[in-house]
């Protein structure tokens, strides 16, 4: 996986390759398959999570069964037992796989909490071509499920996930800020450019403070036209009276870099509020998703009133 989110074109190409592989599998085996995890995401055109341990099964076609007693000996197929509710969808009129939300829940036993949050948001993109689910779908599935391995992790993730993000790196940026005690910024905030009819969607924003946090992906730096467009976009944001904070993958490469990014944002907040905004020691993602912490009001709710 690259440092930036995988593109729609790459997802489409990967989907076609996976459909060919599944087609070949179904031709040589009469057994019905329900595709799961990585295979399901590839068929659905959803960005996969960062690697997790898959040992000798790495690269296999993954299918789900209610118990391992139901598995067969088919080469290049990994059978995964799942005790939770199985919801499926047909892709390409012939490939049955888990629905996006069911696939997400099935990952809960093998993904860390932050990767589970990122995966959920990758299913709810602002781009309609990439949007595969809504937050209500996640809530419905978890509320109806009685129990399965990882359900508590799913419930914690639901407190943090947001709809309409544009990339996994934006999600990683937001979580990095929250790990140091900063409130979660609003995602894809609509900014009306003054004296124009134009609306900009800010990656992340603290609207009350007029602070924009924008993730700049690798693809932006390889196109002179894109660089010019980004420069113009920044000019419009700053002309509207907003502070602009640019984030790249370098700011997310390790914990020290994430802390330095959080400090940049905290310093920008201090300039608005004229009070110190100390960072907290790095929090675990479990602490970030704590219900009581998430209910706290930002400092500026008091300072600006």
């Amino acid at each position: 996986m690259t440092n930036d989110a995988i593109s729609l074109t790459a997802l489409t190409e990967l989907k076609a390759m996976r459909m060919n592989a599944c087609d070949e599998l179904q031709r040589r085996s009469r057994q019905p398959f329900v595709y799961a995890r990585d295979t399901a995401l590839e068929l659905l055109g959803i960005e996969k999570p960062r690697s997790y341990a898959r040992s000798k099964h790495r690269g296999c076609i993954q299918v789900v069964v209610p118990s391992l007693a139901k598995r067969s000996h088919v080469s290049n197929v990994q059978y995964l037992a799942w005790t939770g509710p199985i919801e499926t969808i047909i892709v390409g009129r012939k490939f049955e796989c888990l629905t996006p939300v069911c696939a997400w829940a099935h990952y809960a036993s093998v993904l860390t909490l932050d990767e589970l949050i990122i995966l959920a948001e990758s299913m709810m993109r602002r781009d309609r071509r990439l949007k595969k689910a809504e937050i209500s779908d996640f809530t419905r599935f978890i509320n109806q499920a009685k129990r399965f391995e990882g359900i508590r992790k799913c419930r914690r993730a639901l407190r943090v996930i947001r709809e309409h993000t544009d990339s996994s790196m934006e999600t990683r940026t937001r979580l990095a800020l929250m790990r140091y005690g900063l409130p979660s910024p609003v995602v894809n905030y609509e900014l009306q450019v003054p004296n124009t009819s134009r609306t900009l969607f800010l990656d992340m924003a603290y609207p009350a403070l007029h602070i924009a946090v924008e993730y700049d992906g690798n693809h932006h730096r390889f196109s002179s036209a894109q660089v010019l467009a980004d420069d113009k976009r920044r000019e419009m944001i700053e002309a509207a009276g907003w502070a602009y904070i640019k984030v790249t993958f370098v700011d997310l490469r390790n914990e020290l870099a994430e802390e330095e990014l959080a400090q940049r944002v905290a310093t920008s907040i201090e300039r608005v509020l004229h009070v110190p905004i100390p960072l907290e020691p790095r929090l675990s993602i479990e602490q970030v998703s704590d219900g009581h912490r998430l209910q706290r009001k930002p400092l500026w709710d008091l300072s600006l009133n």
Side-chain angles (χ1 to χ4, degrees):
M1 178 176 175
T2 61
N3 289 312
D4 289 304
I6 189 169
S7 68
L8 175 61
T9 300
L11 286 171
T12 302
E13 293 174 351
L14 187 57
K15 176 178 180 177
M17 292 174 59
R18 180 52 66 193
M19 289 177 71
N20 288 335
C22 291
D23 190 42
E24 190 277 331
L25 171 64
Q26 292 183 184
R27 284 200 306 269
R28 64 182 171 89
S29 174
R30 294 183 179 180
Q31 178 184 350
F33 296 103
V34 177
Y35 300 104
R37 290 195 188 157
D38 283 11
T39 305
L41 295 191
E42 289 169 350
L43 289 171
L44 292 165
I46 296 170
E47 181 180 344
K48 293 184 293 185
R50 287 185 173 174
S51 297
Y52 58 93
R54 283 169 289 192
S55 63
K56 65 180 180 180
H57 298 293
R58 186 178 182 88
C60 289
I61 293 176
Q62 296 171 308
V63 301
V64 66
V65 289
S67 76
L68 292 181
K70 299 291 185 179
R71 64 182 174 179
S72 300
H73 296 286
V74 181
S75 61
N76 199 41
V77 173
Q78 179 187 9
Y79 288 87
L80 302 167
W82 171 242
T83 58
I86 294 179
E87 294 183 354
T88 66
I89 187 173
I90 303 297
V91 176
R93 299 184 180 181
K94 64 188 302 184
F95 306 111
E96 185 176 11
C97 67
L98 297 181
T99 63
V101 173
C102 187
W104 171 78
H106 191 207
Y107 267 109
S109 63
V110 294
L111 290 183
T112 60
L113 178 55
D114 51 348
E115 292 298 326
L116 195 65
I117 293 167
I118 292 164
L119 176 58
E121 295 193 1
S122 73
M123 298 176 173
M124 300 187 292
R125 294 284 183 241
R126 180 166 62 94
D127 188 331
R128 291 185 179 275
R129 298 169 298 176
L130 295 171
K131 188 177 181 66
K132 310 297 181 178
E134 298 180 351
I135 200 164
S136 58
D137 297 321
F138 291 86
T139 303
R140 173 197 57 77
F141 186 92
I142 296 304
N143 288 342
Q144 291 180 356
K146 293 181 180 179
R147 60 183 299 182
F148 58 83
E149 186 179 2
I151 192 170
R152 291 185 179 180
K153 194 185 299 183
C154 289
R155 288 178 177 142
R156 293 191 76 95
L158 280 175
R159 300 172 185 167
V160 180
I161 61 177
R162 297 291 182 268
E163 291 184 276
H164 305 143
T165 57
D166 285 329
S167 77
S168 58
M169 297 305 285
E170 291 178 20
T171 304
R172 295 182 190 281
T173 299
R174 192 175 88 254
L175 294 180
L177 299 180
M178 296 173 71
R179 279 183 178 276
Y180 291 94
L182 296 176
S184 175
V186 176
V187 302
N188 260 301
Y189 179 77
E190 295 185 40
L191 173 63
Q192 180 64 46
V193 180
N195 304 317
T196 73
S197 59
R198 184 168 182 179
T199 299
L200 298 178
F201 287 90
L202 306 180
D203 292 345
M204 288 153 281
Y206 293 107
L209 307 176
H210 284 193
I211 297 174
V213 182
E214 295 267 285
Y215 182 79
D216 184 3
N218 277 336
H219 64 283
H220 289 240
R221 292 184 286 280
F222 296 125
S223 166
S224 57
Q226 185 64 59
V227 170
L228 291 174
D230 289 346
D231 289 344
K232 182 63 177 178
R233 175 184 174 87
R234 177 168 186 165
E235 288 176 7
M236 289 189 289
I237 293 172
E238 293 180 333
W242 286 62
Y244 181 99
I245 299 175
K246 175 180 175 180
V247 183
T248 71
F249 75 93
V250 174
D251 297 303
L252 304 173
R253 68 187 185 278
N254 54 41
E255 292 184 9
L256 177 59
E258 290 186 352
E259 183 175 5
E260 290 173 347
L261 168 62
Q263 185 58 65
R264 284 167 54 202
V265 175
T267 299
S268 186
I269 295 173
E270 290 174 354
R271 294 194 185 104
V272 177
L273 299 181
H274 304 291
V275 296
I277 304 295
L279 299 181
E280 294 188 40
R282 185 177 175 88
L283 303 170
S284 69
I285 195 65
E286 287 73 21
Q287 289 174 308
V288 166
S289 60
D290 177 77
H292 295 294
R293 174 177 291 277
L294 292 171
Q295 290 174 3
R296 294 179 187 174
K297 290 186 176 181
L299 177 61
W300 50 84
D301 277 6
L302 303 174
S303 301
L304 297 179
N305 290 331

